[in-house]
Amino acid sequence: MNEIKVDIIQIRGSSYEIGKKISPYYLANPIIEQFKQLTNPSTDHTETKALFSDFAPHLLDELHGLADGLKMSMDDTLTLSSGFNNRKPPALGCTAFVDNSHYIRNYDFGPDLYDHCLSFVAPIKAFGSIGYNLQLIGRHDGVNEKGLAIGLHFVSNKGFQKGLAAWSAIRIALDTCATTEQVIDLFKQLPHAACYNFSVGDAQGHHVVIEATPDIVSIRSSENGINCVNHFQDPTLSTYNRDDVTGSANRYNFLTRLETLGVHQKDLFRLFATPSSPLFYENYDELFGTLHTIAYSFENKHVITALARGQALEVSLEKWFAGEDIKFDKLIGYKK
């Protein structure tokens, strides 16, 4: 077994302070070099700043803090971690289920292309959130202080264009949206670079999958639970799917056959996080291994999360945002 570690970062303060205090976790992190290959040196920094000024101006302050902490210019930091005008991303895999009571999700990829950071942040001028970092300020998934939960699911690079990375879109949503409806409105305005599904649920019981291409945003909803994997369900978007969606369809069909009504959060968590589960993958060398599982209960406002084969961490959202830090600084998991 090989060990996987994630730093747990807990920061309350201004967005500038959050950026500066996160930077030490990346100074010796080899993922920085990976992101330099993903980013585009021809990024228009004026255009990037304008985009963030329109949708999340506080994140420019966080980027300033990162720049100072990393001892980089602001322009280089925008190129490195804004998520705007990146090169085409590699294929990611993810599975989620959302209903009135729960949000549960696996993230599947390779540990060498993983930030290894789980951030708890409470900015002054935005909603606080808990989520796994991607490209420093972005998030794979997370839940905010209003009980909004959201995660990304890569579909394809078909129609790829200059735009915002899915993980930066998720961070903007966590920081600025309290409801699923607000996320829908936001995602209809953002310039999406690639094709992604976004699984979304809120404290009011409104859950949807947002199917977003660079040209079209479609909404898939259900009064009962809704599944989200790595292909579009909207027939008008089928041409954006990858040529082979067998694995994604198998996961979707498995979840569809489950009886989830009344299932406890911890039971759903085990379903996703147990290595023998059809939703758990260990093809890490092919960039398709389960790295983390995250579950949120809209009813008891608790987050449960763990790395692959690791011990679960349970956190009260209300207690953390009331000022009670958790007493752990790392998560540890294992891959074959």
Side-chain angles (χ1 to χ4, degrees), residues 2 61 120 164 222 239 257-258 265:
N2 294 314
D61 294 332
F120 293 62
L164 195 65
S222 169
T239 57
R257 292 191 297 269
L258 288 178
Q265 179 191 16

Side-chain angles (χ1 to χ4, degrees), residues 65-297:
L66 268 175
D68 288 349
L70 295 173
K71 301 189 185 311
M72 295 172 56
S73 71
M74 182 59 176
D75 283 353
D76 285 346
T77 305
L78 285 168
T79 300
L80 176 71
S81 56
S82 69
F84 183 70
N85 195 29
N86 283 349
R87 300 184 192 276
K88 291 180 182 179
L92 317 171
C94 314
T95 307
F97 171 76
V98 196
D99 64 7
N100 292 342
S101 302
H102 310 98
Y103 179 94
I104 172 77
R105 166 182 147 84
N106 275 358
Y107 173 66
D108 306 311
F109 201 47
D112 293 338
L113 295 168
Y114 190 50
D115 279 36
H116 295 270
C117 290
L118 170 62
S119 287
F120 293 62
V121 296
I124 294 169
K125 295 182 178 180
F127 296 139
S129 62
I130 298 169
Y132 284 88
N133 297 36
L134 177 51
Q135 205 175 356
L136 288 78
I137 71 164
R139 297 292 186 266
H140 293 281
D141 38 45
V143 57
N144 72 12
E145 63 182 279
K146 297 297 182 181
L148 175 82
I150 182 170
L152 60 79
H153 307 252
F154 178 77
V155 173
S156 77
N157 283 316
K158 294 184 179 181
F160 186 87
Q161 65 182 23
K162 180 171 70 174
L164 195 65
W167 43 94
S168 294
I170 284 187
R171 178 64 190 281
I172 292 172
L174 288 169
D175 284 18
T176 65
C177 298
T179 67
T180 297
E181 199 60 44
Q182 290 174 354
V183 179
I184 293 170
D185 290 342
L186 171 68
F187 279 29
K188 286 182 177 179
Q189 298 176 64
L190 290 176
H192 299 281
C195 298
Y196 277 83
N197 284 322
F198 298 90
S199 49
V200 190
D202 65 22
Q204 290 72 45
H206 186 194
H207 45 274
V208 303
V209 171
I210 301 174
E211 301 188 344
T213 79
D215 305 306
I216 304 167
V217 173
S218 177
I219 310 302
R220 180 163 58 89
S221 62
S222 169
E223 292 184 4
N224 300 313
I226 195 164
N227 307 327
C228 188
V229 285
N230 299 104
H231 65 283
F232 292 140
Q233 299 287 330
D234 185 336
T236 65
L237 301 183
S238 62
T239 57
Y240 289 95
N241 287 331
R242 282 173 277 183
D243 294 336
D244 184 0
V245 297
T246 304
S248 180
N250 287 343
R251 283 178 279 129
Y252 181 87
N253 292 335
F254 172 76
L255 284 172
T256 301
R257 292 191 297 269
L258 288 178
E259 177 53 63
T260 54
L261 185 64
V263 177
H264 192 274
Q265 179 191 16
K266 290 185 179 179
D267 292 327
L268 283 171
F269 181 84
R270 281 191 287 269
L271 172 67
F272 277 68
T274 300
S276 60
S277 169
L279 303 176
F280 189 101
Y281 288 83
E282 299 193 273
N283 304 324
Y284 295 101
D285 291 341
E286 289 79 43
L287 301 181
F288 199 79
T290 299
L291 290 174
H292 69 248
T293 304
I294 185 167
Y296 178 66
S297 168

Side-chain angles (χ1 to χ4, degrees), residues 15-17 19 56-66 74 125:
S15 293
Y16 175 86
E17 290 169 333
H58 67 281
L59 286 177
L60 288 174
D61 294 332
E62 185 169 322
L63 287 160
H64 272 291
L66 268 175
M74 182 59 176
K125 295 182 178 180

